[in-house]
Each structure stands twice: as C-alpha cells, then as structure tokens.
Amino acid sequence: MNPVSAGAGERETIPYCDNCDDPAVYFDPRLQRHLCEVHLSQDVERRVIDRLARHGMIHDGDRIAIGLSGGKDSSVLLSILSRVIRERWDAELIAITVDEGIAGYREETIQSAVSLTKRLGISHHIVSFQSLFGTTLDFLLTAHPLRACTACGILRKKALSDAARDISADSIATGHNLSDAAQSVLMNYLRGDFERLLRDSSRREDRGFIRRIKPLLDVHEKEITLYSMVNGITGMLPECPYATTAFRAEVRTLQAGIEYHYPGASLRIIEGQESLSKQAKKTVRPGTVGYCASCGDPCSGHVCQACGLLQNLNK
Ligand code: SF4
Ligand code: ZN
C-alpha cells in the first residue's frame, strides 16, 4: 500500500516507518512523520485511550450504548472500545443499529454490523424508523419535500436515544471523528447558525439527556479509513444515495482541501469553536430546558425536533 496523508491526496512516497523498518502506509503532514500499519494503529488507539481518560468518559459499572451504523467510523470505534474496555474498565458495551430504511444501502451496512458484533461477541440491537415512526426514510422523502440528511439526522438521534434509554444505558458512544467535527463547525458558520455554533454540549447531561461520548474526536477520517483497512474491520461498503446531495458533502471537500494545504487546520477550527463557546457561556444565559409535550424527551421548545418533524408531516 502506498503511504497516504491526512490531506486530500497523496503528497509523497516515503517507504519506511519513522518508528521501525517496516514500509510506511501513512504520512502525517502535521507531525511530518511516516507510519507503518502497526504504528499507525497504535497511534490511533493511543489517541482514543487518551481522550477517554482525559475526559473521564468511561467509569466502572457503566453500560455504554454504541451507535453502530456498520460504516467504518462506528465499526472502528466498536472494535477499539471492545478491546480497551476489556483491558481497563468493568463496563458493558451494547451496539445499537438504526435502520432508517434506505434501499440499496442500509442492508449491506447492517450485515456488516451484524458480522462485526458476532466476531467481537458484543450484544446487538437493531431498531428501525419503520417500527418506531411508521415510515422509512425513503418513503418520507418521496412523500415530503424534506432535506434528506436533516430529517434522517433528527429521527436517527431520537431512535438512538430511545433505544439507549430502553436498555438503561449510562452513555451513548458515537463514531464522530476530527474531520466530522471541523465540518460541523464550518457548516454552522456558513449557515449563520450561531446558536448551534456556541452551544455547550458538555452540559446536556445535567439537562436530562443521556451523556454522549465521542472517543474518535482526535482522529482524522483518513486515519480511520486506513485503520479499518489494515485491521480488516470493514470491507468496501456502498455510500448512502442521499450523501451527495448533502451540504456536508460540499463542506467535506472544503475541509479536506484546507487540511491538505494547512495541516492541523481542522484541529484549530475545533479549538476556535471551543474557546468561542467558553466565552459565550460567560455572557449568554443558557436557554430554558423543558420536556417535549409529545414524547417527554428533554428539549428547549414545546415539542422536540423529532416530534415536531413528524407532526408537520401529518398535517
Ligand atoms: Fe442519513 Fe444523510 Fe447519512 Fe444518508 S448521508 S445516512 S441520509 S445522514
Ligand atoms: Zn418529542
């Protein structure tokens, strides 16, 4: 395998790892180092363990629900967490897959999730939009002029929270990575959505939400792809047919280009957002939190986003 970098494409071919005599598969442009399969894997795992420890994300006795789509991010997360937890904590990991009902895409990723959980011996629950909301995402989008990823994201978040609550989970782990997080910050800027940009998600738990943890937040998307390949975690999987229409797809290209030309830019985008959010916390009073009149979930309006969306469709 030729070395690849965290930027948008191959930059140079340097054959050996900086830590050993094995061929390099990855060039890290920020730290200017080359890593072989083994040292890349160790480095990714170390960053996950550091983040878990630094933010006190896991405690003995925890029941952790992991959102497992079957794609590479959540599959890599499950694979690393299952080992790390066994070695360090007395905690339980339960995988939850949400089937949105996307023909030609979800079937294969669900299969991949099923075989991974079997291989790792992790208990696995599958919930569907059809059984929870009485419709598939495909049907919803043919019948209503909705933005696919917005509707999908709102309903999937609710499906995952409800499933995690059903199994009395203490936290929900998701596979969001460094590239995703930088893209989300850029998207909020570009939409002018400063409420969301400045939101302090660390306090959600005090407000009745199940704690959400993102252990891959120090790892680039490209590093996760490579980790998955060299450790044989997922094979080639189809892409969601709605992904190309998403705003995120354009922002991803933008973010990858910036990271390629200015290594470390994604990290700085996130650090900038965190310090803005801290400043805002000193001056802006947090909004009041109540409970959804329809489902009882914590939310800031009269009904939560998911119930609001479903009610609008039935009007
Ligand atoms: Fe849902 Fe959009 Fe992701 Fe497809 S790309 S699974 S529609 S959020
Ligand atoms: Zn609700």
Side-chain angles (χ1 to χ4, degrees):
M1 189 187 293
N2 287 326
V4 295
S5 78
E10 287 184 17
R11 179 174 285 189
E12 52 192 302
T13 304
I14 296 169
Y16 295 108
C17 176
D18 280 347
N19 293 349
C20 71
D21 293 335
D22 283 348
V25 293
Y26 178 63
F27 173 64
D28 179 344
R30 191 169 75 90
L31 299 177
Q32 292 287 304
R33 61 183 182 169
H34 315 101
L35 297 173
C36 66
E37 294 182 3
V38 170
H39 285 106
L40 168 71
S41 300
Q42 284 179 359
D43 193 63
V44 167
E45 289 161 14
R46 180 191 53 75
R47 275 179 273 161
V48 174
I49 294 167
D50 279 359
R51 173 160 277 272
L52 291 172
R54 207 167 59 241
H55 295 273
M57 288 180 172
I58 298 179
H59 312 101
D60 284 335
D62 271 359
R63 183 163 242 239
I64 304 160
I66 170 166
L68 179 68
S69 68
K72 62 179 171 23
D73 296 318
S74 58
S75 299
V76 164
L77 177 62
L78 178 67
S79 176
I80 295 178
L81 280 190
S82 67
R83 184 145 52 87
V84 165
I85 286 178
R86 213 174 30 243
E87 288 167 1
R88 291 161 194 257
W89 286 282
D90 180 18
E92 188 185 2
L93 203 52
I94 298 162
I96 297 172
T97 298
V98 179
D99 177 1
E100 303 92 344
I102 305 174
Y105 165 63
R106 254 301 162 244
E107 301 87 345
E108 241 181 279
T109 50
I110 289 175
Q111 256 328 304
S112 179
V114 168
S115 56
L116 182 65
T117 48
K118 274 197 187 137
R119 207 157 76 221
L120 298 173
I122 301 283
S123 128
H124 186 202
H125 299 246
I126 302 177
V127 293
S128 71
F129 277 15
Q130 182 67 58
S131 61
L132 293 169
F133 309 124
T135 179
T136 63
L137 185 70
D138 282 342
F139 184 78
L140 209 61
L141 297 176
T142 43
H144 302 275
L146 292 166
R147 280 211 305 249
C149 295
T150 306
C152 181
I154 290 172
L155 296 179
R156 194 180 41 212
K157 200 167 190 180
K158 172 146 184 66
L160 187 55
S161 297
D162 286 358
R165 199 170 299 119
D166 283 350
I167 58 164
S168 309
D170 298 291
S171 59
I172 300 174
T174 58
H176 292 92
N177 60 49
L178 176 55
S179 315
D180 296 330
Q183 288 155 21
S184 297
V185 174
L186 290 174
M187 285 164 72
N188 288 331
Y189 264 117
L190 294 170
R191 285 187 176 129
D193 188 344
F194 294 103
E195 197 272 321
R196 201 177 279 257
L197 179 72
L198 301 178
R199 191 178 288 165
D200 178 14
S201 57
S202 62
R203 296 175 54 199
R204 286 170 58 87
E205 196 185 345
D206 316 334
R207 297 154 54 191
F209 294 93
I210 299 180
R211 184 162 48 103
R212 291 206 166 227
I213 60 173
K214 298 176 182 174
L216 295 183
L217 225 44
D218 293 320
V219 188
H220 279 284
E221 185 169 355
K222 189 155 275 184
E223 294 168 324
I224 292 170
T225 305
L226 271 175
Y227 184 99
S228 176
M229 282 168 72
V230 302
N231 292 287
I233 293 170
T234 57
M236 288 293 287
L237 291 167
E239 194 181 15
C240 174
Y242 302 116
T244 50
T245 63
F247 181 39
R248 183 175 287 274
E250 300 199 30
V251 175
R252 178 180 288 125
T253 308
L254 180 74
Q255 174 262 331
I258 296 172
E259 183 65 40
Y260 178 65
H261 291 292
Y262 305 98
S266 301
L267 200 58
R268 290 192 292 275
I269 289 171
I270 294 164
E271 286 168 354
Q273 185 275 337
E274 283 170 354
S275 68
L276 271 177
S277 175
K278 270 194 204 125
Q279 287 302 320
K281 209 158 87 181
K282 290 182 195 158
T283 51
V284 180
R285 279 196 305 145
T288 48
V289 175
Y291 295 92
C292 173
S294 177
C295 72
D297 277 3
C299 69
S300 48
H302 177 61
V303 289
C304 70
Q305 278 189 306
C307 290
L309 187 139
L310 294 167
Q311 285 170 6
N312 279 337
L313 299 179
N314 293 328
K315 276 181 185 163

